[in-house]
Structure formats: structure tokens, C-alpha cells
């Protein structure tokens, strides 16, 4: 039973309304130039990607370790969010949606 405890904690963290206060660390607007990738400076940082269409429910969530990169990157003709080399599609960017990487407030 103990081996399932981390999964239960993760599940609770992802339930709507269970994310505490967060602060923005990187934003990409529809006409904004793509910012350079950022590097995590401390171990086990929880990152949430929010779209301006629903700022209460994250589009994506990941825990990154020190020195791992996150941000936004151009892939071909589109722009994706990136975390630890994982590409996250941003389909509504052309429709004026802003995307923001956020971290929990300390």
C-alpha cells in the first residue's frame, strides 16, 4: 500500500481547486517573441502550464529537477511549450491565447 502513496499525493495535487496560490515565471502571448528556455535552479520544482482561457485548471503539470529546462520553443511552423525536452502543443495560440508557466508560491 505504501508504494501507492506518491501516486495518491500526485492525484490530489492535480484535482481541480487543489492547486494553491502560484506565481508566473514565464509567459508567452500571441504576438510576443519566444523567450529563451529557463533552467530550474533548485531540486523538485513543480511547474504548471496555464492557458488564459482557463486560469484555474492547468493544461500541463510536471516536476522538474535542478538544471532541467522549460519554456517555449519553435518547432517547424508552430510554437510549443517545452519541459524536460517534452513538447506540449499550444493549439490556441493563433487565436489570441496567452500561456504561462507558473510555480507554487512559497
Amino acid at each position: 500500500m505504501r508504494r501507492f502513496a506518491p501516486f495518491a499525493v500526485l492525484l490530489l495535487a492535480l484535482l481541480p481547486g487543489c492547486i494553491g496560490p502560484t506565481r508566473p515565471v514565464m509567459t508567452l502571448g500571441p504576438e510576443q517573441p519566444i523567450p529563451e528556455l529557463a533552467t530550474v535552479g533548485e531540486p523538485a520544482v513543480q511547474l504548471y502550464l496555464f492557458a488564459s482561457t482557463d486560469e484555474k485548471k492547468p493544461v500541463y503539470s510536471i516536476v522538474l529537477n535542478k538544471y532541467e529546462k522549460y519554456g517555449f520553443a519553435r518547432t517547424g511552423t508552430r510554437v510549443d511549450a517545452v519541459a524536460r525536452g517534452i513538447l506540449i502543443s499550444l493549439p490556441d495560440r493563433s487565436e489570441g491565447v496567452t500561456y504561462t508557466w507558473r510555480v507554487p508560491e512559497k
Side-chain angles (χ1 to χ4, degrees):
M1 187 71 175
R2 288 185 184 192
R3 64 181 180 197
F4 295 110
F7 297 111
V9 171
L10 178 63
L11 179 63
L12 288 174
L14 295 177
L15 288 174
C18 290
I19 297 173
T22 60
R23 63 179 174 83
V25 290
M26 184 182 294
T27 300
L28 179 66
E31 300 299 322
Q32 185 179 349
I34 301 167
E36 291 190 28
L37 293 178
T39 303
V40 174
E42 55 191 78
V45 173
Q46 177 72 52
L47 279 165
Y48 299 102
L49 178 64
F50 285 90
S52 59
T53 54
D54 186 354
E55 296 188 7
K56 295 185 184 213
K57 181 181 174 190
V59 174
Y60 190 79
S61 174
I62 190 168
V63 175
L64 295 181
N65 293 311
K66 193 171 185 175
Y67 306 119
E68 291 184 313
K69 296 190 179 291
Y70 69 94
F72 303 97
R74 182 169 303 284
T75 53
T77 59
R78 67 175 205 240
V79 176
D80 293 320
V82 180
R84 191 189 299 137
I86 300 167
L87 298 177
I88 303 105
S89 179
L90 305 177
D92 299 330
R93 184 166 183 255
S94 62
E95 298 173 11
V97 176
T98 297
Y99 290 90
T100 304
W101 283 108
R102 300 179 73 87
V103 295
E105 287 186 353
K106 292 184 179 184

